[in-house]
Amino acid sequence: MPPRTRGGGISSASRRRPTGSERRRRVQMRDVEPVVDRDPVEHPQHDRDETEEVVEGVSGGPIDGSILRSFHNHIAAKIWLGEERAPLKLVNHGAKLQLWELDMERSRIYETVQRSGLAPLTSCSHRVASRPMLSAFCERWQPETTTFHLPFGEMTITLDDVASILHIPVTGSMISFSQPLRVDAANALLVELLGTTDVEASRETEQCRSPSVRLLWLREHFSTITDASSDDDIEFATRAFLLHQVGCTLFADKSATSVAVVYLELFRDLSMVGSYAWGAACLAYLYRQLTTATRFEVRQLGGYLTLLQAWIYEHFPDMFSSPDLSYTESRPRALRWRPHVIPDTLQLVRERLDRLQISDVCWEPYVDHRAEHPFPEIAWYSGCIKCGQVVEPYHPERVLRQFGYIQTIPPRPFTPPRPDRSILLEQYWERWTDHVLTDQSRARRCQYSGSGESVAEYMAWYDRISHRIVQPPQMRSGFTTDARSSLPSHAASTRDTVLRATTLSFMRHVISEGREQSHDHLWGALNEAYSILSGSDETSASHSTPSPDMRPFFSPPTFDYPPPASVDPQPPIVPPPPVTVAPPAPFADPSAPASDSTQSTTVYVRSKRTKKT
């Protein structure tokens, strides 16, 4: 029994310093209940001692585990060790928003929604979300830094991204709840703010088995109310519509069918709805959903996926996007893109991200958007953002390149405080102008706009603390330098998939340029598509040279497949002679045998040979 003091505590002589393994277990519990040992208002950026021990790294990185302290439980660590996870199931309600529209018969509800600042959510939500693309980016999310770790450095979704993509307010009161809502309190809130009966409210929460209501239930009970209804009914329907809207967008949870009743409290006073920082709350909620999805056993991804998907389109336009040519800068940037399901598999998207370079990124995508939507200064705020009981750190100093500044080595990320310290968090947020990055912290602007520069020592530091490559090189779908006989059986099908995906990728760009294109432009695109699909690196003499603006899309992927072992020496393949007949002759299959019987009986098909019959 350890000796105790008079007050009943354990004496200092008998206290034992915790071991390294015990410290790691405490860090791994962070996702369950964040613990903080500092005042978030006084010292928001220095919650750990600079002399803290270096945590042992893992295979494939990070070498220095003092930053990504929970990486042992990360999905990327499991993938590196050979364990696999299928693409995440996405919770996307873009189609459900179209089931409850506000027409002229509901103009009073529409006017209130317009004043709330949430009206853009109805029009800018994507109906389609790409599972492989979002799953691959989720595998690169790191909870400690709340950033995506890419081969060249960190990137994240900032408050500037939220404001530009969604056009909802990012400043205002923090969305905070004193404590989680109990079922009986949720029933009382439904009766008070939606005008339901006690029986209806109890039946609905019992069916959801939580203090929540179904999105379908909201539509069935309130979508039929019009301007001809009573003032109370219109007020109830307006609250129900707003609750339905945030449940389908900003705070979409993994139930995929319901929304928490606690958000109804935010619509008690409809004149104050526009005073909340909806964008900051949406970002905090999405951060937490990404953090949860980095665990190997998690199979779903919630949050507002339109924000995540549009952010990817904006910053990686040449890789995944399909632009909408009718877009104007007065509208939210989410409407600039046509969402689509990319043809790549999760494995191929991982490999594309592993090969990313700085030049592949659009670091400042909103330059043309600034005239209509100026840069929000709160994007420089460094601290915590909150959504109810969710508190997440926000680190603009880790992604200076996204603001046009040279990236420096950032300070250690800080641990978010407990949600019950809401008063301190709200005070800190209200004084956000006192907690923006100083000019000294921002360092210098990049010499060239969008160049993505960093200081000389940044990459050496980043290589030590990060996991830059997700897919292990020895498991790269056959893209290795080994002999063809040692390739896995699925290598050929994977290669074919890459060829098809590459062709479709640049053809989308051709189609997006509209019908007013020159004949040579389209002719070059068709020939290049044929060249890629046929697997030939040579171009027939009949092929037209693509126009200069198309050449970036005419770079077929290179493969390290060694040539097959040759049995008999074969003469070199000679390309077919130029086609001189008028169209549609150029579109004829080059592999078709010639009609002239005097021609050679050996037919050459670009990279294949058909022997004499």
Side-chain angles (χ1 to χ4, degrees):
M1 192 73 175
R4 295 185 174 272
T5 63
R6 289 184 177 181
I10 300 176
S11 64
S12 59
S14 62
R15 291 194 182 100
R16 180 178 61 84
R17 186 174 182 178
T19 64
S21 60
E22 290 174 339
R23 292 194 191 98
R24 285 192 290 272
R25 281 196 295 270
R26 292 179 184 177
V27 173
Q28 293 170 8
M29 291 295 291
R30 169 184 174 273
D31 294 330
V32 179
E33 182 178 359
V35 179
V36 68
D37 56 357
R38 59 170 177 81
D39 187 332
V41 177
E42 295 297 331
H43 306 286
Q45 298 175 341
H46 303 285
D47 61 311
R48 297 189 182 103
D49 189 353
E50 293 298 328
T51 62
E52 186 177 34
E53 66 172 353
V54 176
V55 180
E56 182 183 358
V58 298
S59 174
I63 301 172
D64 177 359
S66 62
I67 303 297
L68 308 183
R69 299 177 65 88
S70 64
F71 186 74
H72 291 78
N73 296 325
H74 198 280
I75 176 60
K78 303 295 185 181
I79 294 173
W80 193 265
L81 296 176
E83 300 183 50
E84 189 54 79
R85 182 178 73 177
L88 295 168
K89 179 182 178 181
L90 305 180
V91 180
N92 184 38
H93 298 298
K96 293 181 181 178
L97 289 170
Q98 312 303 320
L99 301 178
W100 191 352
E101 296 181 340
L102 300 178
D103 51 22
M104 296 299 296
E105 295 182 355
R106 297 164 180 82
S107 60
R108 294 177 62 182
I109 300 177
Y110 175 80
E111 292 171 359
T112 304
V113 173
Q114 287 293 115
R115 292 192 298 268
S116 70
L118 298 176
L121 298 178
T122 303
S123 60
C124 69
S125 296
H126 293 172
R127 300 185 63 177
V128 178
S130 175
R131 293 179 63 191
M133 181 179 71
L134 299 188
S135 299
F137 272 88
C138 185
E139 292 169 355
R140 292 184 169 272
W141 181 260
Q142 297 298 337
E144 288 83 358
T145 60
T146 57
T147 56
F148 297 102
H149 282 226
L150 298 163
F152 46 77
E154 299 177 50
M155 295 184 69
T156 196
I157 308 172
T158 67
L159 290 172
D160 178 32
D161 291 310
V162 178
S164 300
I165 292 174
L166 302 180
H167 281 195
I168 60 176
V170 294
T171 59
S173 302
M174 179 176 284
I175 293 180
S176 180
F177 308 118
S178 57
Q179 57 186 0
L181 196 67
R182 299 172 60 90
V183 174
D184 54 351
N187 294 337
L189 207 59
L190 291 172
V191 172
E192 178 185 4
L193 299 183
L194 293 187
T196 63
T197 64
D198 290 330
V199 175
E200 289 176 335
S202 300
R203 184 186 300 117
E204 182 60 24
T205 53
E206 286 177 3
Q207 182 165 348
C208 293
R209 299 181 180 179
S210 65
S212 306
V213 293
R214 289 171 298 145
L215 299 170
L216 176 62
W217 181 83
L218 291 172
R219 293 195 299 269
E220 289 177 344
H221 284 73
F222 299 97
S223 63
T224 58
I225 294 178
T226 65
D227 292 344
S229 305
S230 64
D231 292 344
D232 288 342
D233 287 342
I234 293 176
E235 188 171 339
F236 295 150
T238 304
R239 294 194 185 104
F241 180 85
L242 291 172
L243 182 63
H244 180 272
Q245 194 171 39
V246 299
C248 288
T249 56
L250 306 184
F251 311 132
D253 58 32
K254 295 180 183 178
S255 70
T257 58
S258 60
V259 57
V261 177
V262 68
Y263 299 116
L264 191 58
E265 185 65 44
L266 303 173
F267 310 125
R268 177 181 293 274
D269 186 350
L270 292 174
S271 64
M272 297 296 294
V273 176
S275 65
Y276 291 108
W278 293 103
C282 170
L283 190 59
Y285 192 86
L286 181 59
Y287 278 5
R288 178 58 58 86
Q289 293 295 318
L290 287 169
T291 294
T292 304
T294 60
R295 298 309 178 210
F296 179 74
E297 63 276 4
V298 176
R299 296 293 183 267
Q300 283 183 293
L301 177 63
Y304 196 18
L305 300 185
T306 292
L307 173 59
L308 175 57
Q309 184 162 262
W311 179 85
I312 296 173
Y313 290 160
E314 290 287 349
H315 289 278
F316 307 93
D318 292 338
M319 291 186 63
F320 304 107
S321 61
S322 178
D324 185 349
L325 301 180
S326 64
Y327 171 79
T328 59
E329 294 295 344
S330 61
R331 304 159 69 194
R333 270 299 181 101
L335 296 174
R336 184 188 178 198
W337 310 102
R338 294 176 177 173
H340 61 280
V341 178
I342 61 175
D344 297 351
T345 63
L346 175 57
Q347 177 97 355
L348 296 177
V349 178
R350 282 181 194 157
E351 295 173 1
R352 295 177 70 183
L353 295 182
D354 283 343
R355 295 191 298 266
L356 271 180
Q357 299 180 3
I358 292 177
S359 58
D360 296 324
V361 181
C362 180
W363 293 100
E364 299 177 70
Y366 311 120
V367 174
D368 297 335
H369 199 58
R370 296 304 183 199
E372 297 288 341
H373 205 81
F375 176 81
E377 286 299 321
I378 199 172
W380 287 115
Y381 161 80
S382 180
C384 287
I385 51 180
K386 185 178 182 183
C387 175
Q389 297 293 306
V390 174
V391 180
E392 292 290 333
Y394 177 75
H395 295 123
E397 64 274 11
R398 307 191 72 88
V399 292
L400 293 176
R401 290 181 286 191
Q402 291 181 226
F403 299 97
Y405 285 77
I406 298 175
Q407 183 62 57
T408 58
I409 297 178
R412 286 180 177 274
F414 50 88
T415 305
R418 294 189 302 268
D420 56 6
R421 305 182 73 175
S422 58
I423 295 179
L424 295 176
L425 285 171
E426 290 172 12
Q427 292 175 353
Y428 194 84
W429 173 260
E430 289 172 0
R431 301 199 304 268
W432 66 265
T433 53
D434 298 333
H435 306 291
V436 296
L437 295 185
T438 62
D439 292 339
Q440 182 179 2
S441 300
R442 302 179 196 181
R444 310 185 311 277
R445 290 198 68 91
C446 294
Q447 183 177 1
Y448 303 102
S449 177
S451 59
E453 300 173 52
S454 60
V455 295
E457 60 273 17
Y458 174 77
M459 284 308 300
W461 166 85
Y462 180 70
D463 192 50
R464 280 184 16 256
I465 64 96
S466 180
H467 187 79
R468 298 172 55 191
I469 305 300
V470 172
Q471 188 66 46
Q474 67 273 16
M475 304 178 187
R476 282 183 170 259
S477 301
F479 295 100
T480 66
T481 57
D482 300 333
R484 182 184 294 264
S485 59
S486 64
L487 293 176
S489 58
H490 63 273
S493 62
T494 302
R495 180 178 182 276
D496 293 342
T497 302
V498 173
L499 292 175
R500 287 195 300 269
T502 304
T503 306
L504 291 173
S505 177
F506 77 79
M507 289 191 72
R508 281 199 300 269
H509 288 276
V510 176
I511 295 172
S512 67
E513 293 183 8
R515 299 173 181 269
E516 302 299 327
Q517 300 183 57
S518 66
H519 181 270
D520 290 341
H521 192 75
L522 296 174
W523 177 235
L526 288 172
N527 277 282
E528 190 64 28
Y530 181 86
S531 177
I532 294 176
L533 291 176
S534 64
S536 173
D537 293 334
E538 300 179 1
T539 303
S540 167
S542 63
H543 290 179
S544 301
T545 302
S547 58
D549 57 333
M550 290 297 295
R551 286 171 185 162
F553 310 117
F554 288 165
S555 300
T558 58
F559 302 94
D560 295 329
Y561 287 91
S566 177
V567 179
D568 298 321
Q570 300 289 348
I573 298 176
V574 179
V579 180
T580 57
V581 296
F587 294 91
D589 187 357
S591 63
S595 57
D596 188 356
S597 59
T598 62
Q599 292 185 6
S600 173
T601 56
T602 301
V603 179
Y604 298 103
V605 187
R606 303 188 68 82
S607 62
K608 297 181 179 180
R609 179 181 294 103
T610 302
K611 293 187 177 180
K612 188 183 340 182
T613 58

